[in-house]
Amino acid sequence: MSTPDAPNTDPQQRADAPTPDQPAYGAPVPPPYGAPYGAPAQPPYAVPPLPAYAAPPAQGVPAQPPHGAPAQPYPVAPQYGPPAAPQHGAPQYGAPGAYGYPPPKPSTGTLSWALGFLIFISIPFLSGIVSGVVMASVYGSVSRKGEIARQNARSAANWALTYLTVSIALLLVHIIVLVTFAGNDGMTGFFPLGIPITLYFAVSILHVVLVIIGTVKASSGKVLRVPFAIPYIRS
């Protein structure tokens, strides 16, 4: 039997009983010493949650960002090989007009007419034939450079072939007349023996005039049409 002054030796009762300085688990914490009377007791002590354990990333595998965090872009490795195609609408390097340079002017077939100046080569009769042959031979390459170039090339080729036909015919007639009537005593003057050669020089002068007009018109983007030329090449 224990006396009132004897200490409590019951181990179960001693373990469960709270000490005066420490409140029971979950009980409100009393206000600190010196607080005004009637101050509310502090809420129970709450243990902050521990952060989630994040395992270190494996070697060679990039770490995953936390949930809700913005993804970090991966560095782009340099690529080797041919350059990628530009995006739609982006100016291409070296493209005409992309960086302020004016685009090249389309071809207008000036070359087809300008080759007619080969008639000024100092070879009688042969220079006109060479001029007509070269003008007609470039039709295929010039005609593929645009509509205006094609029309000028066709017009120049038709006139060049017409000039060749008339020139060769007049030269043959002149040779035939010389061979036939050269020994005739009644034909001692320039006419009528010189009629074919005179017509040849007249046609050659017309050829020079048409070449000059055609070159000027083609350089300004216009087309010269020769109505009396034989249409060897049709549209």
Side-chain angles (χ1 to χ4, degrees):
M1 180 176 181
S2 60
T3 60
D5 297 335
N8 188 5
T9 58
D10 189 357
Q12 184 68 25
Q13 183 179 3
R14 186 171 58 254
D16 295 339
T19 59
D21 297 336
Q22 181 180 3
Y25 180 78
V29 180
Y33 179 77
Y37 179 77
Q42 298 181 3
Y45 177 74
V47 180
L50 296 176
Y53 174 75
Q59 186 176 3
V61 180
Q64 299 293 333
H67 179 70
Q72 297 293 332
Y74 295 103
V76 180
Q79 300 182 2
Y80 301 94
Q87 298 180 358
H88 178 70
Q92 301 182 9
Y93 177 77
Y99 297 95
Y101 298 101
K105 294 182 179 180
S107 177
T108 56
T110 308
L111 179 63
S112 297
W113 285 108
L115 290 174
F117 290 108
L118 293 175
I119 195 175
F120 290 107
I121 299 175
S122 58
I123 303 177
F125 304 109
L126 184 60
S127 58
I129 297 176
V130 171
S131 172
V133 170
V134 175
M135 287 177 63
S137 62
V138 298
Y139 168 75
S141 59
V142 177
S143 62
R144 293 191 294 267
K145 297 181 180 180
E147 180 62 24
I148 298 179
R150 185 179 65 83
Q151 295 182 17
N152 272 315
R154 184 179 70 249
S155 182
N158 284 334
W159 166 247
L161 294 175
T162 302
Y163 172 67
L164 281 175
T165 303
V166 174
S167 299
I168 293 175
L170 290 175
L171 290 176
L172 290 177
V173 171
H174 179 66
I175 294 174
I176 293 173
V177 170
L178 287 178
V179 172
T180 304
F181 301 102
N184 193 342
D185 296 336
M187 300 182 67
T188 57
F190 181 76
F191 293 101
L193 295 178
I195 292 177
I197 199 66
T198 302
L199 293 177
Y200 168 77
F201 283 113
V203 173
S204 298
I205 293 174
L206 178 61
H207 174 71
V208 173
V209 173
L210 291 178
V211 166
I212 294 174
I213 297 175
T215 304
V216 173
K217 278 197 169 186
S219 61
S220 60
K222 300 178 181 179
V223 179
L224 173 63
R225 294 179 174 87
V226 184
F228 46 83
I230 303 174
Y232 290 98
I233 303 174
R234 300 182 182 270
S235 58

